[in-house]
PDB file of all heavy atoms in Angstrom:
ATOM      1  N   PRO M 199     193.986  58.197 -32.181  1.00 96.00           N
ATOM      2  CA  PRO M 199     192.639  57.592 -32.272  1.00 96.00           C
ATOM      3  C   PRO M 199     191.572  58.488 -32.773  1.00 96.00           C
ATOM      4  O   PRO M 199     190.537  58.647 -32.121  1.00 96.00           O
ATOM      5  CB  PRO M 199     192.402  57.175 -30.777  1.00 96.00           C
ATOM      6  CG  PRO M 199     193.135  58.272 -29.975  1.00 96.00           C
ATOM      7  CD  PRO M 199     194.348  58.622 -30.790  1.00 96.00           C
ATOM      8  N   PHE M 200     191.785  59.162 -33.839  1.00 98.00           N
ATOM      9  CA  PHE M 200     190.762  60.036 -34.538  1.00 98.00           C
ATOM     10  C   PHE M 200     190.261  59.230 -35.777  1.00 98.00           C
ATOM     11  O   PHE M 200     191.037  58.559 -36.410  1.00 98.00           O
ATOM     12  CB  PHE M 200     191.288  61.293 -34.967  1.00 98.00           C
ATOM     13  CG  PHE M 200     191.992  62.219 -33.929  1.00 98.00           C
ATOM     14  CD1 PHE M 200     192.722  63.274 -34.354  1.00 98.00           C
ATOM     15  CD2 PHE M 200     191.772  62.012 -32.553  1.00 98.00           C
ATOM     16  CE1 PHE M 200     193.337  64.124 -33.469  1.00 98.00           C
ATOM     17  CE2 PHE M 200     192.348  62.789 -31.633  1.00 98.00           C
ATOM     18  CZ  PHE M 200     193.175  63.905 -32.059  1.00 98.00           C
ATOM     19  N   ALA M 201     188.962  59.366 -35.971  1.00 98.00           N
ATOM     20  CA  ALA M 201     188.395  58.801 -37.196  1.00 98.00           C
ATOM     21  C   ALA M 201     188.515  59.796 -38.299  1.00 98.00           C
ATOM     22  O   ALA M 201     188.583  61.022 -38.034  1.00 98.00           O
ATOM     23  CB  ALA M 201     186.924  58.430 -36.922  1.00 98.00           C
ATOM     24  N   LEU M 202     188.669  59.258 -39.430  1.00 98.00           N
ATOM     25  CA  LEU M 202     188.772  60.128 -40.656  1.00 98.00           C
ATOM     26  C   LEU M 202     187.494  60.081 -41.491  1.00 98.00           C
ATOM     27  O   LEU M 202     186.823  59.055 -41.678  1.00 98.00           O
ATOM     28  CB  LEU M 202     189.954  59.635 -41.554  1.00 98.00           C
ATOM     29  CG  LEU M 202     190.451  60.396 -42.675  1.00 98.00           C
ATOM     30  CD1 LEU M 202     190.938  61.792 -42.202  1.00 98.00           C
ATOM     31  CD2 LEU M 202     191.605  59.725 -43.373  1.00 98.00           C
ATOM     32  N   GLY M 203     187.207  61.304 -42.063  1.00 98.00           N
ATOM     33  CA  GLY M 203     186.006  61.357 -42.833  1.00 98.00           C
ATOM     34  C   GLY M 203     186.245  62.312 -44.046  1.00 98.00           C
ATOM     35  O   GLY M 203     187.127  63.240 -43.907  1.00 98.00           O
ATOM     36  N   ALA M 204     185.443  62.130 -45.111  1.00 98.00           N
ATOM     37  CA  ALA M 204     185.456  62.989 -46.249  1.00 98.00           C
ATOM     38  C   ALA M 204     184.232  63.958 -46.204  1.00 98.00           C
ATOM     39  O   ALA M 204     183.342  63.600 -45.528  1.00 98.00           O
ATOM     40  CB  ALA M 204     185.506  62.151 -47.584  1.00 98.00           C
ATOM     41  N   GLN M 205     184.320  64.995 -46.961  1.00 98.00           N
ATOM     42  CA  GLN M 205     183.278  65.986 -46.911  1.00 98.00           C
ATOM     43  C   GLN M 205     182.169  65.703 -47.974  1.00 98.00           C
ATOM     44  O   GLN M 205     181.130  66.381 -47.968  1.00 98.00           O
ATOM     45  CB  GLN M 205     183.851  67.366 -47.179  1.00 98.00           C
ATOM     46  CG  GLN M 205     184.830  67.842 -46.024  1.00 98.00           C
ATOM     47  CD  GLN M 205     185.433  69.137 -46.261  1.00 98.00           C
ATOM     48  OE1 GLN M 205     184.947  69.855 -47.190  1.00 98.00           O
ATOM     49  NE2 GLN M 205     186.536  69.417 -45.599  1.00 98.00           N
ATOM     50  N   ASP M 206     182.401  64.749 -48.842  1.00 98.00           N
ATOM     51  CA  ASP M 206     181.455  64.453 -49.931  1.00 98.00           C
ATOM     52  C   ASP M 206     181.938  63.203 -50.639  1.00 98.00           C
ATOM     53  O   ASP M 206     183.066  62.753 -50.419  1.00 98.00           O
ATOM     54  CB  ASP M 206     181.392  65.641 -50.961  1.00 98.00           C
ATOM     55  CG  ASP M 206     180.351  65.498 -51.970  1.00 98.00           C
ATOM     56  OD1 ASP M 206     179.239  64.886 -51.732  1.00 98.00           O
ATOM     57  OD2 ASP M 206     180.535  65.957 -53.157  1.00 98.00           O
ATOM     58  N   LEU M 207     181.120  62.645 -51.463  1.00 98.00           N
ATOM     59  CA  LEU M 207     181.510  61.587 -52.376  1.00 98.00           C
ATOM     60  C   LEU M 207     180.676  61.539 -53.608  1.00 98.00           C
ATOM     61  O   LEU M 207     179.624  62.309 -53.681  1.00 98.00           O
ATOM     62  CB  LEU M 207     181.538  60.196 -51.709  1.00 98.00           C
ATOM     63  CG  LEU M 207     180.206  59.306 -51.769  1.00 98.00           C
ATOM     64  CD1 LEU M 207     180.431  58.013 -51.279  1.00 98.00           C
ATOM     65  CD2 LEU M 207     179.136  60.078 -50.945  1.00 98.00           C
ATOM     66  N   SER M 208     181.098  60.782 -54.625  1.00 98.00           N
ATOM     67  CA  SER M 208     180.244  60.671 -55.817  1.00 98.00           C
ATOM     68  C   SER M 208     179.160  59.663 -55.676  1.00 98.00           C
ATOM     69  O   SER M 208     179.320  58.716 -54.818  1.00 98.00           O
ATOM     70  CB  SER M 208     181.117  60.266 -57.036  1.00 98.00           C
ATOM     71  OG  SER M 208     180.355  60.050 -58.124  1.00 98.00           O
ATOM     72  N   ALA M 209     178.003  59.853 -56.270  1.00 98.00           N
ATOM     73  CA  ALA M 209     176.988  58.867 -56.238  1.00 98.00           C
ATOM     74  C   ALA M 209     177.389  57.647 -57.079  1.00 98.00           C
ATOM     75  O   ALA M 209     176.747  56.546 -57.004  1.00 98.00           O
ATOM     76  CB  ALA M 209     175.642  59.421 -56.734  1.00 98.00           C
ATOM     77  N   HIS M 210     178.412  57.869 -57.990  1.00 98.00           N
ATOM     78  CA  HIS M 210     178.878  56.749 -58.831  1.00 98.00           C
ATOM     79  C   HIS M 210     180.055  56.114 -58.313  1.00 98.00           C
ATOM     80  O   HIS M 210     180.861  56.726 -57.556  1.00 98.00           O
ATOM     81  CB  HIS M 210     179.140  57.308 -60.243  1.00 98.00           C
ATOM     82  CG  HIS M 210     178.000  58.184 -60.821  1.00 98.00           C
ATOM     83  ND1 HIS M 210     176.947  57.576 -61.381  1.00 98.00           N
ATOM     84  CD2 HIS M 210     177.847  59.502 -60.856  1.00 98.00           C
ATOM     85  CE1 HIS M 210     176.060  58.597 -61.687  1.00 98.00           C
ATOM     86  NE2 HIS M 210     176.650  59.741 -61.446  1.00 98.00           N
ATOM     87  N   ASP M 211     180.351  54.839 -58.713  1.00 98.00           N
ATOM     88  CA  ASP M 211     181.481  54.123 -58.198  1.00 98.00           C
ATOM     89  C   ASP M 211     182.791  54.360 -58.994  1.00 98.00           C
ATOM     90  O   ASP M 211     183.805  54.267 -58.450  1.00 98.00           O
ATOM     91  CB  ASP M 211     181.140  52.659 -58.179  1.00 98.00           C
ATOM     92  CG  ASP M 211     180.019  52.290 -57.187  1.00 98.00           C
ATOM     93  OD1 ASP M 211     179.731  53.189 -56.339  1.00 98.00           O
ATOM     94  OD2 ASP M 211     179.379  51.286 -57.282  1.00 98.00           O
ATOM     95  N   SER M 212     182.630  54.547 -60.290  1.00 98.00           N
ATOM     96  CA  SER M 212     183.824  54.781 -61.149  1.00 98.00           C
ATOM     97  C   SER M 212     183.416  55.292 -62.544  1.00 98.00           C
ATOM     98  O   SER M 212     182.169  55.182 -62.809  1.00 98.00           O
ATOM     99  CB  SER M 212     184.647  53.505 -61.324  1.00 98.00           C
ATOM    100  OG  SER M 212     183.910  52.543 -62.084  1.00 98.00           O
ATOM    101  N   GLY M 213     184.225  55.675 -63.341  1.00 98.00           N
ATOM    102  CA  GLY M 213     183.906  56.052 -64.767  1.00 98.00           C
ATOM    103  C   GLY M 213     184.152  57.471 -65.053  1.00 98.00           C
ATOM    104  O   GLY M 213     184.909  58.217 -64.467  1.00 98.00           O
ATOM    105  N   ALA M 214     183.414  57.893 -66.120  1.00 98.00           N
ATOM    106  CA  ALA M 214     183.641  59.212 -66.739  1.00 98.00           C
ATOM    107  C   ALA M 214     182.869  60.273 -65.942  1.00 98.00           C
ATOM    108  O   ALA M 214     181.795  60.804 -66.414  1.00 98.00           O
ATOM    109  CB  ALA M 214     183.153  59.187 -68.154  1.00 98.00           C
ATOM    110  N   TYR M 215     183.344  60.572 -64.777  1.00 98.00           N
ATOM    111  CA  TYR M 215     182.730  61.623 -63.911  1.00 98.00           C
ATOM    112  C   TYR M 215     183.869  62.549 -63.461  1.00 98.00           C
ATOM    113  O   TYR M 215     184.271  62.474 -62.282  1.00 98.00           O
ATOM    114  CB  TYR M 215     182.015  61.001 -62.725  1.00 98.00           C
ATOM    115  CG  TYR M 215     180.963  60.040 -63.171  1.00 98.00           C
ATOM    116  CD1 TYR M 215     181.122  58.642 -63.170  1.00 98.00           C
ATOM    117  CD2 TYR M 215     179.692  60.528 -63.609  1.00 98.00           C
ATOM    118  CE1 TYR M 215     180.125  57.774 -63.684  1.00 98.00           C
ATOM    119  CE2 TYR M 215     178.728  59.728 -64.148  1.00 98.00           C
ATOM    120  CZ  TYR M 215     178.963  58.297 -64.131  1.00 98.00           C
ATOM    121  OH  TYR M 215     177.968  57.462 -64.537  1.00 98.00           O
ATOM    122  N   THR M 216     184.339  63.408 -64.325  1.00 98.00           N
ATOM    123  CA  THR M 216     185.430  64.273 -64.081  1.00 98.00           C
ATOM    124  C   THR M 216     185.230  65.054 -62.783  1.00 98.00           C
ATOM    125  O   THR M 216     184.192  65.751 -62.604  1.00 98.00           O
ATOM    126  CB  THR M 216     185.653  65.235 -65.312  1.00 98.00           C
ATOM    127  OG1 THR M 216     185.860  64.410 -66.486  1.00 98.00           O
ATOM    128  CG2 THR M 216     186.830  66.114 -65.060  1.00 98.00           C
ATOM    129  N   GLY M 217     186.282  65.019 -61.949  1.00 97.00           N
ATOM    130  CA  GLY M 217     186.275  65.795 -60.750  1.00 97.00           C
ATOM    131  C   GLY M 217     185.557  65.163 -59.599  1.00 97.00           C
ATOM    132  O   GLY M 217     185.615  65.562 -58.402  1.00 97.00           O
ATOM    133  N   GLU M 218     184.993  64.006 -59.802  1.00 98.00           N
ATOM    134  CA  GLU M 218     184.198  63.376 -58.662  1.00 98.00           C
ATOM    135  C   GLU M 218     185.174  62.316 -57.962  1.00 98.00           C
ATOM    136  O   GLU M 218     186.194  61.919 -58.519  1.00 98.00           O
ATOM    137  CB  GLU M 218     183.068  62.577 -59.205  1.00 98.00           C
ATOM    138  CG  GLU M 218     182.007  63.549 -59.925  1.00 98.00           C
ATOM    139  CD  GLU M 218     180.657  63.484 -59.363  1.00 98.00           C
ATOM    140  OE1 GLU M 218     180.279  62.346 -58.838  1.00 98.00           O
ATOM    141  OE2 GLU M 218     179.953  64.439 -59.471  1.00 98.00           O
ATOM    142  N   VAL M 219     184.837  62.030 -56.750  1.00 98.00           N
ATOM    143  CA  VAL M 219     185.604  61.094 -55.955  1.00 98.00           C
ATOM    144  C   VAL M 219     184.755  59.876 -55.552  1.00 98.00           C
ATOM    145  O   VAL M 219     183.740  60.137 -54.831  1.00 98.00           O
ATOM    146  CB  VAL M 219     186.204  61.809 -54.694  1.00 98.00           C
ATOM    147  CG1 VAL M 219     187.051  60.895 -53.787  1.00 98.00           C
ATOM    148  CG2 VAL M 219     187.134  62.969 -55.219  1.00 98.00           C
ATOM    149  N   SER M 220     185.187  58.712 -55.879  1.00 98.00           N
ATOM    150  CA  SER M 220     184.456  57.527 -55.526  1.00 98.00           C
ATOM    151  C   SER M 220     184.591  57.153 -54.092  1.00 98.00           C
ATOM    152  O   SER M 220     185.631  57.242 -53.497  1.00 98.00           O
ATOM    153  CB  SER M 220     184.996  56.347 -56.387  1.00 98.00           C
ATOM    154  OG  SER M 220     184.492  55.152 -55.964  1.00 98.00           O
ATOM    155  N   GLY M 221     183.433  56.574 -53.565  1.00 98.00           N
ATOM    156  CA  GLY M 221     183.445  56.026 -52.287  1.00 98.00           C
ATOM    157  C   GLY M 221     184.438  54.921 -52.082  1.00 98.00           C
ATOM    158  O   GLY M 221     185.039  54.697 -51.024  1.00 98.00           O
ATOM    159  N   ALA M 222     184.729  54.195 -53.210  1.00 98.00           N
ATOM    160  CA  ALA M 222     185.671  53.082 -53.144  1.00 98.00           C
ATOM    161  C   ALA M 222     187.090  53.660 -52.758  1.00 98.00           C
ATOM    162  O   ALA M 222     187.851  53.118 -52.011  1.00 98.00           O
ATOM    163  CB  ALA M 222     185.760  52.428 -54.497  1.00 98.00           C
ATOM    164  N   PHE M 223     187.389  54.819 -53.346  1.00 98.00           N
ATOM    165  CA  PHE M 223     188.744  55.447 -53.091  1.00 98.00           C
ATOM    166  C   PHE M 223     188.769  55.928 -51.621  1.00 98.00           C
ATOM    167  O   PHE M 223     189.789  55.844 -50.987  1.00 98.00           O
ATOM    168  CB  PHE M 223     188.963  56.615 -53.962  1.00 98.00           C
ATOM    169  CG  PHE M 223     188.809  56.410 -55.437  1.00 98.00           C
ATOM    170  CD1 PHE M 223     188.552  57.495 -56.326  1.00 98.00           C
ATOM    171  CD2 PHE M 223     188.845  55.111 -55.922  1.00 98.00           C
ATOM    172  CE1 PHE M 223     188.419  57.245 -57.661  1.00 98.00           C
ATOM    173  CE2 PHE M 223     188.688  54.867 -57.388  1.00 98.00           C
ATOM    174  CZ  PHE M 223     188.487  56.024 -58.170  1.00 98.00           C
ATOM    175  N   LEU M 224     187.669  56.438 -51.160  1.00 98.00           N
ATOM    176  CA  LEU M 224     187.656  56.929 -49.739  1.00 98.00           C
ATOM    177  C   LEU M 224     187.824  55.775 -48.777  1.00 98.00           C
ATOM    178  O   LEU M 224     188.548  55.842 -47.735  1.00 98.00           O
ATOM    179  CB  LEU M 224     186.389  57.672 -49.450  1.00 98.00           C
ATOM    180  CG  LEU M 224     186.131  58.931 -50.354  1.00 98.00           C
ATOM    181  CD1 LEU M 224     184.774  59.567 -50.044  1.00 98.00           C
ATOM    182  CD2 LEU M 224     187.196  60.016 -50.075  1.00 98.00           C
ATOM    183  N   ALA M 225     187.193  54.624 -49.102  1.00 98.00           N
ATOM    184  CA  ALA M 225     187.203  53.453 -48.231  1.00 98.00           C
ATOM    185  C   ALA M 225     188.763  52.939 -48.232  1.00 98.00           C
ATOM    186  O   ALA M 225     189.204  52.515 -47.165  1.00 98.00           O
ATOM    187  CB  ALA M 225     186.287  52.403 -48.763  1.00 98.00           C
ATOM    188  N   LYS M 226     189.292  53.018 -49.384  1.00 98.00           N
ATOM    189  CA  LYS M 226     190.740  52.558 -49.386  1.00 98.00           C
ATOM    190  C   LYS M 226     191.701  53.380 -48.602  1.00 98.00           C
ATOM    191  O   LYS M 226     192.760  52.984 -48.150  1.00 98.00           O
ATOM    192  CB  LYS M 226     191.262  52.624 -50.883  1.00 98.00           C
ATOM    193  CG  LYS M 226     191.104  51.393 -51.693  1.00 98.00           C
ATOM    194  CD  LYS M 226     192.479  50.804 -52.042  1.00 98.00           C
ATOM    195  CE  LYS M 226     192.458  49.362 -52.399  1.00 98.00           C
ATOM    196  NZ  LYS M 226     191.893  48.961 -53.671  1.00 98.00           N
TER     197      LYS M 226
END
Side-chain angles (χ1 to χ4, degrees):
F200 302 163
L202 187 60
Q205 297 175 18
D206 186 32
L207 87 171
S208 175
H210 307 283
D211 295 342
S212 66
Y215 300 101
T216 301
E218 302 234 333
V219 176
S220 167
F223 308 159
L224 298 177
K226 267 246 157 78

